[in-house]
């Protein structure tokens, strides 16, 4: 079964607005990753945050991790139409295993 | 070269056919993965190879048979598949099977008739 749950399942915003996606997980982790997937294509790694980190930035992306609540959030600032994609969090309950959340489908309208 | 390639892009096969999916990376990664993804669902891990040895099999039916001929190549042999096996099959690689970033290929869209 999938470890991660994400909300919202779908998000529609206007270009320039911020998008926030949340991920919750069940077991202890070493790190949490976020991936993006454009329709029907492979996944692209966005950012990795380790269990001893609370916040990480990469360009327009900001990720937070709260291990006490077993949750993470991904913030995309100043969104663009090209950010339209599905976003998945992924956790590692065991070495070599990456378990993906259900994903959030983001639509950014021009 | 930071790319994972997969062939073919699309595959249509009957339930009695035997076919293979291929995956290749030249990043020197020592871990390679197969995932299955159904429409509007997250990828599900099938197999993990670490240093060319199968390290994880997520209870995948034997009609799926993985093979790692060398550190750059990963195959998935398909035989007697069912229509419900139709999905996007994704290959990925990482530096090792520790908790590292995975690089994904574009996938093979498989349809079983």
């Amino acid at each position: 079964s999938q470890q991660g749950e994400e909300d919202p399942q779908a998000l529609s915003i206007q270009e320039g607005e911020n998008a926030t996606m949340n991920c919750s997980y069940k077991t202890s982790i070493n790190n949490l990753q976020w991936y993006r997937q454009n329709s029907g294509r492979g996944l692209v790694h966005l950012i990795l945050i380790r269990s001893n980190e609370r916040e990480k930035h990469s360009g327009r992306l900001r990720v937070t991790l709260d291990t006490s609540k077993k949750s993470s959030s991904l913030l995309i600032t100043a969104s663009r139409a090209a950010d339209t994609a599905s976003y998945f969090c992924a956790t590692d309950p065991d070495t070599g295993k990456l378990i993906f959340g259900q994903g959030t489908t983001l639509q950014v309208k021009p | 070269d930071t790319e994972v390639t997969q062939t073919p892009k699309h595959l249509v096969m009957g339930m009695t056919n035997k076919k293979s999916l291929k995956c290749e990376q030249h990043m020197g990664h020592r871990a390679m993965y197969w995932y299955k993804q159904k429409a509007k669902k997250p990828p599900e891990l099938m197999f993990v190879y670490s240093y060319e040895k199968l390290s994880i099999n997520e209870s995948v039916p034997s009609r799926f048979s993985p093979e790692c001929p060398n550190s750059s190549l990963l195959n998935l042999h398909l035989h007697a598949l069912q229509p419900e096996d139709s999905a996007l099959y994704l290959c990925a690689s990482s530096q090792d099977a520790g908790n590292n970033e995975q690089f994904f290929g574009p996938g093979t869209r498989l349809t079983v008739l």
Side-chain angles (χ1 to χ4, degrees):
Chain A
S1 62
Q2 296 298 319
Q3 158 145 266
E5 298 295 330
E6 292 178 64
D7 80 88
Q9 287 189 333
L11 183 59
S12 182
I13 59 175
Q14 294 294 134
E15 214 166 22
E17 293 180 340
N18 296 342
T20 299
M21 292 158 251
N22 302 296
C23 167
S24 61
Y25 57 92
K26 295 174 184 172
T27 66
S28 61
I29 60 171
N30 294 303
N31 62 55
L32 185 143
Q33 303 180 51
W34 286 89
Y35 287 81
R36 184 188 75 224
Q37 184 177 33
N38 290 87
S39 181
R41 300 185 60 81
L43 281 78
V44 174
H45 181 266
L46 296 176
I47 198 165
L48 179 153
I49 185 166
R50 302 201 183 281
S51 60
N52 61 355
E53 297 176 311
R54 291 296 167 258
E55 188 171 312
K56 202 161 182 180
H57 297 254
S58 177
R60 292 185 296 114
L61 305 180
R62 172 177 168 255
V63 168
T64 63
L65 178 64
D66 187 335
T67 52
S68 66
K69 294 181 180 177
K70 292 188 168 56
S71 67
S72 174
S73 68
L74 170 68
L75 169 66
I76 304 173
T77 60
S79 62
R80 305 166 182 168
D83 294 328
T84 294
S86 293
Y87 291 81
F88 295 94
C89 67
T91 54
D92 56 340
D94 287 309
T95 299
K97 274 194 182 183
L98 208 56
I99 305 298
F100 288 87
Q102 294 301 306
T104 293
T105 300
L106 174 65
Q107 183 184 28
V108 181
K109 300 175 186 175
Chain B
D1 185 355
T2 58
E3 195 179 38
V4 176
T5 59
Q6 289 188 244
T7 56
K9 285 189 169 59
H10 301 275
L11 179 62
V12 179
M13 60 187 290
M15 291 189 285
T16 58
N17 292 157
K18 283 185 184 181
K19 297 285 185 183
S20 296
L21 309 184
K22 296 186 185 302
C23 174
E24 190 166 4
Q25 57 86 16
H26 293 287
M27 294 177 276
H29 288 173
R30 304 314 301 267
M32 296 185 77
Y33 311 80
W34 280 115
Y35 290 87
K36 172 182 176 181
Q37 187 178 26
K38 302 283 271 185
K40 300 189 188 303
K41 293 290 187 183
E44 293 183 1
L45 183 65
M46 299 175 72
F47 302 104
V48 179
Y49 272 83
S50 178
Y51 290 85
E52 299 159 52
K53 287 185 168 33
L54 182 66
S55 61
I56 295 177
N57 176 344
E58 288 288 272
S59 303
V60 179
S62 59
R63 58 186 183 269
F64 295 91
S65 174
E67 178 198 20
C68 190
N70 60 55
S71 60
S72 300
L73 292 173
L74 186 66
N75 298 322
L76 186 63
H77 303 298
L78 314 173
H79 173 55
L81 294 193
Q82 304 297 310
E84 59 265 29
D85 296 321
S86 297
L88 181 68
Y89 287 84
L90 295 162
C91 172
S93 70
S94 65
Q95 192 170 15
D96 58 47
N99 310 314
N100 294 315
E101 168 189 355
Q102 292 188 15
F103 291 76
F104 282 80
T108 293
R109 176 74 61 188
L110 174 68
T111 302
V112 182
L113 301 176

